[in-house]
Amino acid sequence: MLYGVECWPTKRRHVQQLSVAEMRMLRWFCGHTRRDRVRNEVIRDRVGVAPIEEKLTQHRLRWFGHVQRRPPEAPVRIGVLERVDNVKRGRGRPKLTWDELVKRDLKDWNISKEIVLDRSAWRLAINVPEP
């Protein structure tokens, strides 16, 4: 379900849809339906999984760490982090880009970009423990 999620510039709507699908699967796994009126937190604790939103952020930041540790001339770094300036964008609100989303994740989780080069510290900073 999360394959390739590292590269998605996910909007809140996408996260909500994934959360709903995840809770459906967890309820089915536990043998409950919505009619049973069991809270999501109870089901999560019973199964022992972290919320999918946190896992999405963890995967995205793990990929960001991988990209940052690559040499500057690496194709993956050129393709992900370099922005083309001479492309005309359409009218309206600009689309959410992957790097803007990573900046928001780093700010929300209070993580600095400097620890990316230390792999063990980075893994500890972005780890989402399973309950």
Side-chain angles (χ1 to χ4, degrees), residues 58 62 69 115 118-128:
Q58 178 187 4
R62 192 173 66 198
R69 285 189 293 272
I115 64 169
D118 183 9
R119 187 183 301 243
S120 60
W122 181 250
R123 286 210 175 211
L124 284 175
I126 67 170
N127 186 30
V128 176

Side-chain angles (χ1 to χ4, degrees), residues 16-34:
Q16 180 65 27
Q17 288 173 342
L18 283 172
S19 298
V20 168
E22 179 201 26
M23 281 314 300
R24 261 193 220 140
M25 286 185 255
L26 292 178
R27 283 179 188 280
W28 173 75
F29 183 72
C30 289
H32 290 291
T33 63
R34 298 251 314 137

Side-chain angles (χ1 to χ4, degrees), residues 41-109:
E41 295 84 25
V42 173
I43 291 177
R44 257 186 221 294
D45 289 340
R46 193 173 296 164
V47 176
V49 295
I52 198 163
E53 184 173 2
E54 293 177 7
K55 292 305 248 181
L56 286 170
T57 305
Q58 178 187 4
H59 282 261
R60 192 167 31 245
L61 289 177
R62 192 173 66 198
W63 176 250
F64 173 72
H66 168 72
V67 170
Q68 285 294 105
R69 285 189 293 272
R70 299 289 294 157
E73 64 275 357
V76 69
R77 191 154 182 181
I78 293 169
V80 171
L81 297 178
E82 296 297 320
R83 189 178 281 178
V84 181
D85 294 330
N86 57 359
V87 174
K88 185 175 179 184
R89 298 176 93 171
R91 289 178 46 172
R93 184 179 183 150
K95 290 188 176 181
L96 182 67
T97 60
W98 183 80
D99 56 333
E100 292 166 354
L101 192 58
V102 168
K103 285 178 190 173
R104 186 176 73 195
D105 290 341
L106 290 172
K107 183 181 168 197
D108 290 347
W109 284 24

